[in-house]
Amino acid sequence: MSKILVVDDDPSVLSAFEQMLSEQGHLVRVATRGEEALELVAKERPDLVIMDIRMPGISGLEAVRRIRALDPRLPVIIMTGYATTDTAIEATKLGAVDYHLKPIEGEEILRTIDTALERSRLMNRRVELDAAAAATADDIIVGQSKGMREVYKAIGRVAETDAAVLIRGETGTGKELVARAIYQHSRRAQAPLIVVNCVAIPATLLESEFFGFEKGSFTGADKRRIGKFEQAHGGTIFLDEIGDMPLEVQAKLLRVLQEKAIERIGGNETIPVDVRVLAATHRDLEADIVQGRFREDLYHRLKVFTVDLPPLRERREDIPRLAAYFSRKYSKELAVEAAPLSADALAVLAAHAWPGNVRELQHCIQRAMILTGGFPIQPDEMRRAIDLASAGAGPARVTTEAERLRLFIQEYLRAHGGENVYNRFLEESEEMLLAEALRVTKGNQTHAARLLGMARPTLKARMDKYGLGRAREQDDTRPAS
Ligand SMILES: Nc1ncnc2c1ncn2[C@@H]1O[C@H](COP(=O)(O)OP(=O)(O)OP(=O)(O)O)[C@@H](O)[C@H]1O
Ligand SMILES: [Mg+2]
């Protein structure tokens, strides 16, 4: 059964459709004006719209245009009273799936309707991200709650469009996962996906990161650099934590979205870029607008398509399914048996507040599998795992981490101010980061690269730069004497 919206100012046409379509088992909604149709589209989310082109109020063409803006994946069939193919062509250009000349002939329109509905079914199938759950998939977006089903629908609606998408949700709710799903299901899946995390990047740095610069545009710009937007040309850019983007950069981003072109810093050439923007934030952008931290115009621009990830505490029915999924996943990684949870252990999970959301649950299951003295996992083991996992997740920790870093930087500036502190700080911290990653992975470069989220050759190159791992290599190659 599908929900079909029929729009015509002629009541006899409406009742004819109502009868014919409900005989086919469909649910029919009717409207007599374009404006009314738009409201119904937003409110009722029909699977298909059949619409007369000539109506009082806004024209059918205009209505198609606005429906496409509301929901680009919603198929629209146009009916026209006269044989002017011009309007029909115009309508198909706007995205109508088909058009029919009046009077409408039953057989024919039913075929068109079936085709259009099949199209929208195809779209729905690809968003069954959990149920389909191919065992071969690397990651699955798990959850069957109403909130998550809305998420799948939203992904299905936006994935194939080129529209900018704003993904919202608390920390650990799966925003990045959703961004990847949208990208992988998009028409640009074969083109690059470039990720920029906007957190804690100062405006000037972020700008050169985004737009690149021309040689000599500022001290230190010793050669031209191509920015991320140019690199992502033809593909997708994922702006993570867009709520933390400095205001100056927000203004420039808005221009990119509007004009689909960039200028390198210090350049005067306008370079067209065809980039699809995905953005994510855990921040309350509405509050940020009030406080002058986020541009309202950019917000409205991004807000057209949003995916809202519900916090885990609002979809507790997903917890057992998620727990089982992570248990399977880690059993593979840790090469142990998938841990079954006792009913009481599950009850412990069900009662927890999950401030760190799915990420926290994931850590918790991981810990529990390592901690457990035997299967199934017991409630007290579960409680310990939660304590350990929540110590390492959730917003509280993020602030203290940032706080600690800030204190450290203040200290560093006091100690070394003036001594080429910028390069020195970055190099020293990079070296330390690499050394630590190698230490905890016991010198295993593949594991260290994975831990750091970089390609192994990149890690190797950086190690060479700092002479890391050389002692070990020499040890290994030293002839036995
Ligand atoms: N519905 C889900 N099903 C399976 N795994 C999930 C789901 N949601 C999140 N995860 C997993 O939880 C972890 C956190 O997800 P992700 O990084 O996408 O969150 P996020 O919203 O981007 O968080 P943050 O705001 O902290 O960046 C990841 O390992 C992800 O794979
Ligand atoms: Mg994230």
Side-chain angles (χ1 to χ4, degrees):
M1 182 186 71
S2 301
K3 197 189 273 185
I4 301 177
L5 171 64
V6 188
V7 193
D8 201 311
D9 54 335
D10 182 350
S12 67
V13 173
L14 292 181
S15 57
F17 266 107
E18 258 182 318
Q19 199 193 336
M20 177 174 74
L21 293 175
S22 46
E23 264 173 25
Q24 299 287 317
H26 298 303
L27 201 67
V28 184
R29 293 277 178 275
V30 296
T32 52
R33 299 170 65 91
E35 288 88 339
E36 193 190 342
L38 285 166
E39 272 170 35
L40 282 173
V41 165
K43 206 168 71 194
E44 300 259 0
R45 294 274 162 205
D47 302 295
L48 171 68
V49 179
I50 303 171
M51 188 159 57
D52 191 6
I53 207 139
R54 210 168 54 162
M55 291 178 295
I58 60 167
S59 74
L61 278 185
E62 180 56 25
V64 176
R65 199 175 285 128
R66 294 200 203 165
I67 286 175
R68 304 305 292 180
L70 270 176
D71 182 350
R73 305 276 306 162
L74 173 58
V76 180
I77 296 170
I78 284 293
M79 299 180 283
T80 161
Y82 25 75
T84 63
T85 41
D86 278 7
T87 34
I89 287 170
E90 196 54 42
T92 28
K93 266 198 212 152
L94 286 172
V97 293
D98 213 336
Y99 60 91
H100 276 260
L101 290 179
K102 280 183 173 178
I104 301 298
E105 197 258 307
E107 277 295 320
E108 204 191 348
I109 188 88
L110 282 177
R111 261 202 307 278
T112 308
I113 288 171
D114 280 346
T115 316
L117 286 175
E118 178 56 24
R119 255 170 89 149
S120 85
R121 250 198 305 281
L122 274 180
M123 173 191 82
N124 289 327
R125 219 176 3 226
R126 56 189 312 144
V127 299
E128 280 177 338
L129 298 163
D130 182 352
T136 52
D138 292 319
D139 288 305
I140 300 165
I141 306 185
V142 175
Q144 295 285 320
S145 56
K146 186 155 178 294
M148 286 310 289
R149 289 205 308 268
E150 288 301 320
V151 167
Y152 304 148
K153 270 194 246 165
I155 295 175
R157 272 198 295 272
V158 299
E160 278 207 354
T161 73
D162 264 346
V165 183
L166 179 62
I167 305 162
R168 311 179 62 164
E170 291 177 11
T171 182
T173 45
K175 296 186 292 295
E176 191 196 289
L177 211 54
V178 167
R180 280 163 49 203
I182 293 175
Y183 163 70
Q184 284 161 16
H185 288 84
S186 78
R187 275 182 274 158
R188 295 168 182 251
Q190 305 305 320
L193 169 72
I194 289 183
V195 182
V196 185
N197 192 324
C198 309
V199 129
I201 303 186
T204 44
L205 234 116
L206 196 56
E207 256 177 58
S208 47
E209 179 101 346
F210 277 167
F211 309 118
F213 44 76
E214 295 294 347
K215 184 175 169 174
S217 54
F218 51 85
T219 6
D222 51 353
K223 46 180 177 286
R224 167 191 281 176
R225 198 174 117 179
I226 301 297
K228 299 275 194 211
F229 272 95
E230 265 185 272
Q231 283 171 26
H233 185 62
T236 309
I237 199 162
F238 175 39
L239 308 176
D240 205 357
E241 304 298 357
I242 195 172
D244 295 274
M245 185 182 277
L247 279 167
E248 305 94 288
V249 190
Q250 290 175 27
K252 298 218 164 161
L253 173 64
L254 182 66
R255 271 194 53 205
V256 179
L257 291 173
Q258 284 165 342
E259 290 162 29
K260 305 199 183 316
I262 59 130
E263 271 164 33
R264 298 190 196 114
I265 298 170
N268 44 23
E269 188 192 350
T270 301
I271 303 158
V273 289
D274 166 27
V275 174
R276 194 226 188 142
V277 174
L278 306 178
T281 184
H282 68 279
R283 298 189 62 100
D284 177 355
L285 292 185
E286 288 82 358
D288 284 347
I289 290 171
V290 173
Q291 291 174 10
R293 271 205 301 255
F294 202 83
R295 288 184 67 108
E296 191 165 3
D297 45 10
L298 178 60
Y299 167 76
H300 286 296
R301 179 93 203 184
L302 290 171
K303 205 187 72 134
V304 180
F305 297 103
T306 44
V307 180
D308 283 302
L309 283 160
L312 189 55
R313 63 182 173 280
E314 285 173 17
R315 48 175 163 113
R316 290 181 188 274
E317 64 266 45
D318 286 339
I319 290 174
R321 209 176 159 83
L322 279 160
Y325 168 69
F326 289 131
S327 168
R328 270 200 310 280
K329 192 162 173 172
Y330 289 106
S331 69
K332 268 185 226 141
E333 261 172 46
L334 302 167
V336 295
E337 262 176 87
L341 307 184
S342 70
D344 290 342
L346 262 179
V348 171
L349 293 184
H352 186 58
W354 304 111
N357 292 296
V358 182
R359 182 185 290 115
E360 187 187 352
L361 175 62
Q362 177 178 338
H363 287 160
C364 170
I365 299 293
Q366 232 172 333
R367 297 271 148 78
M369 286 176 71
I370 296 165
L371 279 177
T372 184
F375 295 155
I377 293 174
Q378 295 304 311
D380 57 328
E381 292 172 328
M382 212 51 171
R383 265 181 228 112
R384 265 185 69 206
I386 288 182
D387 287 345
L388 283 170
S390 44
R397 174 163 174 266
V398 176
T399 16
T400 54
E401 217 169 56
E403 276 313 303
R404 282 208 298 273
L405 190 56
R406 193 194 323 278
L407 287 175
F408 177 75
I409 289 174
Q410 284 167 356
E411 199 54 38
Y412 195 94
L413 286 172
R414 261 199 297 278
H416 303 288
E419 308 166 25
N420 186 19
V421 73
Y422 179 77
N423 285 328
R424 185 173 162 168
F425 176 77
L426 290 185
E427 288 191 351
E428 283 183 10
S429 31
E430 180 174 35
E431 179 176 358
M432 206 174 286
L433 183 63
L434 299 175
E436 274 306 301
L438 286 163
R439 195 180 61 79
V440 300
T441 55
K442 300 190 173 63
N444 183 320
Q445 291 180 20
T446 310
H447 290 174
R450 196 180 302 147
L451 179 68
L452 292 166
M454 55 170 53
R456 195 164 167 249
T458 317
L459 173 66
K460 187 76 184 74
R462 302 270 158 85
M463 284 171 63
D464 288 347
K465 176 174 169 194
Y466 296 110
L468 288 168
R470 207 170 281 158
R472 173 179 290 267
E473 273 163 33
Q474 277 166 6
D475 282 351
D476 291 345
T477 51
R478 193 176 297 153
S481 53

